[in-house]
């Protein structure tokens, strides 16, 4: 529920463009605590958790990439949790997004997706800097950019 602490998780990364302080060779798992809450290694003002259906959809990934670039200077991080085949996602990301700052995690066993109540529809959750749920929704593809941008602007007004 909005306002509740987000559930913590640790999942292996499929593709990550490392930040200066974050060396993926040292840690193949990414946690929500990396970006939010007290003691975050790479503090973010907001984290978008994007739960994909079985496979990453190229047009949605492009939209998420655009939103990531637009809000990068405000310290917003997008994390996509992928339920499908990790190799398929890796191939897509390597061909299309060599320089993305978006983090994609392997949730092929649906461990985190199930904990968050995610079904096979795409779902978005926004977590604030303190690690609390700020927004939850299932925006249609045509509205994904607009709805994410509106929610993120609302979150960032306090920063």
């Amino acid at each position: 529920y909005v306002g509740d602490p987000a559930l913590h998780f640790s999942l292996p990364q499929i593709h990550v463009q490392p930040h200066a302080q974050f060396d993926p060779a040292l840690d193949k798992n990414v946690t929500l605590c990396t970006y939010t809450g007290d003691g975050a290694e790479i503090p973010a003002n907001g984290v978008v958790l994007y739960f994909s259906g079985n496979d990453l959809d190229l047009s949605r990934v492009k939209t998420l990439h655009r939103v990531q670039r637009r809000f990068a200077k405000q310290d917003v991080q997008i994390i996509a949790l992928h339920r499908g085949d990790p190799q398929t996602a890796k191939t897509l990301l390597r061909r299309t997004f060599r320089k993305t700052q978006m983090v994609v995690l392997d949730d092929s066993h649906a461990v985190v997706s199930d904990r968050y109540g995610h079904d096979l529809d795409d779902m978005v959750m926004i977590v604030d800097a303190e690690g609390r749920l700020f927004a939850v929704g299932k925006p249609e593809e045509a509205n994904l950019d607009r709805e994410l941008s509106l929610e993120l602007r609302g979150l960032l007004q306090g920063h």
Side-chain angles (χ1 to χ4, degrees):
Y1 296 106
V2 172
D4 287 348
L7 301 174
H8 293 283
F9 60 81
S10 176
L11 287 172
Q13 59 192 2
I14 293 175
H15 172 81
V16 64
Q17 181 67 29
H19 295 270
Q21 329 73 311
F22 189 68
D23 183 359
L26 300 176
D27 184 7
K28 293 296 182 190
N29 281 358
V30 173
T31 68
L32 184 58
C33 300
T34 301
Y35 300 101
T36 65
D38 293 334
E41 295 172 52
I42 308 168
N45 289 323
V47 174
V48 175
L49 299 177
Y50 171 76
F51 294 85
S52 72
N54 280 335
D55 282 313
L56 285 174
D57 175 82
L58 181 59
S59 67
R60 286 183 184 251
V61 171
K62 284 182 178 181
T63 299
L64 294 169
H65 176 73
R66 245 189 342 267
V67 171
Q68 176 73 58
R69 283 196 341 247
R70 186 177 312 130
F71 287 95
K73 289 184 179 175
Q74 286 96 357
D75 293 322
V76 169
Q77 179 62 54
I78 294 183
I79 300 175
L81 293 94
H82 177 65
R83 288 175 65 146
D85 176 35
Q87 193 56 48
T88 302
K90 191 176 285 190
T91 301
L92 169 81
L93 293 163
R94 283 190 179 150
R95 286 185 186 155
T96 315
F97 299 102
R98 292 182 187 268
K99 295 184 180 181
T100 186
Q101 296 292 320
M102 186 173 66
V103 175
V104 180
L105 303 180
D106 176 10
D107 194 23
S108 56
H109 299 291
V111 173
V112 176
S113 296
D114 286 350
R115 286 182 63 210
Y116 272 98
H118 171 242
D119 54 22
L120 290 180
D121 292 330
D122 291 4
M123 181 172 76
V124 175
M125 294 184 166
I126 299 176
V127 180
D128 67 16
E130 288 77 40
R132 297 194 172 278
L133 290 175
F134 179 79
V136 178
K138 292 185 177 184
E140 295 292 323
E141 183 175 343
N143 299 325
L144 182 61
D145 189 324
R146 184 178 61 79
E147 289 186 30
L148 271 180
S149 295
L150 284 172
E151 292 290 353
L152 288 170
R153 283 188 198 107
L155 173 69
L156 297 170
Q157 282 180 347
H159 291 275

